[in-house]
Amino acid sequence: MTTIALITGANKGIGFETAGQLAATGTTVLVGARDADRGKNAAAALSEAGADARFVPLDVTDADSIARAAADIDAEFGKLDILVNNAGIAGRLDGDGKPSSTALSTLREVFETNVFGIVALTNAVLPLLRRSEAARIVNVSSEVGSFTMTMDEGSPLWPMAAIPYPTSKTALTMVTAMYAKELWNTPIKVNAANPGYCATDLNGNTGFRTAAQGAEVVARLATLPADGPTGTLWGYRWGATGEDEYGILPW
């Protein structure tokens, strides 16, 4: 049977590249995007490259949008094999961006997409994932949410002192662990991906890795074998090379 994958925020960046890499394996990719034009254009571009790609209107901050997407996937496919929770925002810059300048409205806005929306969507499609022989859930998190790396004065993350985006990724990594525990004795594996500092719209395209490189991490977790890990933060390890370039990161 055909593998069905839903990727949120798949109209650009890491989400788009992930869709392309999964499609290359024969997977039918559902391009989740809240902007209809961008979503349709992304699906069309993937299709032109040989992918079986379909646009799915999806705003993870809108309960009705989530319900419609889940119902449409159920009606057409009856199951879901891969869920990639990729959609995310950095939030606006309040003042100098430091914790003491952070507006609660900014914090709420970022968590609405990066955490609450992911929980809402995952819960909505979990019945479909349970119908898969061995579903995979990948939450696109980040090393910036690692307490260990953040508090290491020798880490490249040491200069960062901001609340909204980093704390949303810390929360998302714990959300990942909790779903992994709930689904521990099932074939479903749940992991958090660390694509690394990739050049995307999220950071004004300042990253030193490409979106395609970041997507490799996500695609690998989305296609883990039966003996693969669950409940990990896995991906690019800053500064590591060779065989150690990828691995489990500290939380």
Side-chain angles (χ1 to χ4, degrees), residues 152-220:
D152 178 359
E153 293 186 53
S155 165
L157 300 183
W158 176 254
M160 177 183 289
I163 292 180
Y165 186 74
T167 60
S168 74
K169 294 305 183 179
T170 302
L172 179 56
T173 301
M174 183 55 75
V175 165
T176 302
M178 292 304 173
Y179 275 108
K181 289 173 68 176
E182 178 180 355
L183 300 167
W184 195 262
N185 293 315
T186 75
I188 302 175
K189 296 186 183 299
V190 190
N191 289 284
N194 177 47
Y197 190 33
C198 299
T200 67
D201 288 350
L202 189 75
N203 55 42
N205 293 292
T206 58
F208 56 78
R209 306 190 80 222
T210 67
Q213 287 176 314
E216 290 173 2
V217 172
V218 183
R220 176 164 174 172

Side-chain angles (χ1 to χ4, degrees), residues 134-151:
R136 302 289 181 260
I137 301 173
V138 183
N139 296 327
V140 180
S141 191
S142 172
E143 63 219 332
V144 303
S146 165
F147 190 91
T148 300
M149 295 181 67
T150 293
M151 296 309 296

Side-chain angles (χ1 to χ4, degrees), residues 28-137:
T28 294
V29 293
L30 308 181
V31 178
R34 59 184 177 181
D35 185 295
D37 289 338
R38 291 178 179 178
K40 290 176 182 178
N41 289 339
L46 290 165
S47 296
E48 289 173 4
D52 182 6
R54 329 279 182 87
F55 166 58
V56 175
L58 181 56
D59 181 347
V60 299
T61 67
D62 185 315
D64 291 338
S65 176
I66 289 173
R68 284 193 297 270
D72 288 347
I73 295 170
D74 188 9
E76 184 168 0
F77 303 104
K79 65 158 187 170
L80 184 63
D81 301 291
I82 298 169
L83 171 62
V84 176
N85 286 308
N86 167 75
I89 61 173
R92 63 179 178 272
L93 181 66
D94 297 321
D96 60 5
K98 298 296 176 59
S100 56
S101 300
T102 301
L104 290 183
S105 58
T106 301
L107 192 61
R108 292 189 181 101
E109 180 184 21
V110 172
F111 268 67
E112 196 67 45
T113 297
N114 295 5
V115 183
F116 306 150
I118 288 175
V119 172
L121 177 60
T122 301
N123 288 348
V125 300
L126 191 54
L128 300 175
L129 290 162
R130 288 184 182 277
R131 294 177 198 164
S132 172
E133 291 185 4
R136 302 289 181 260
I137 301 173

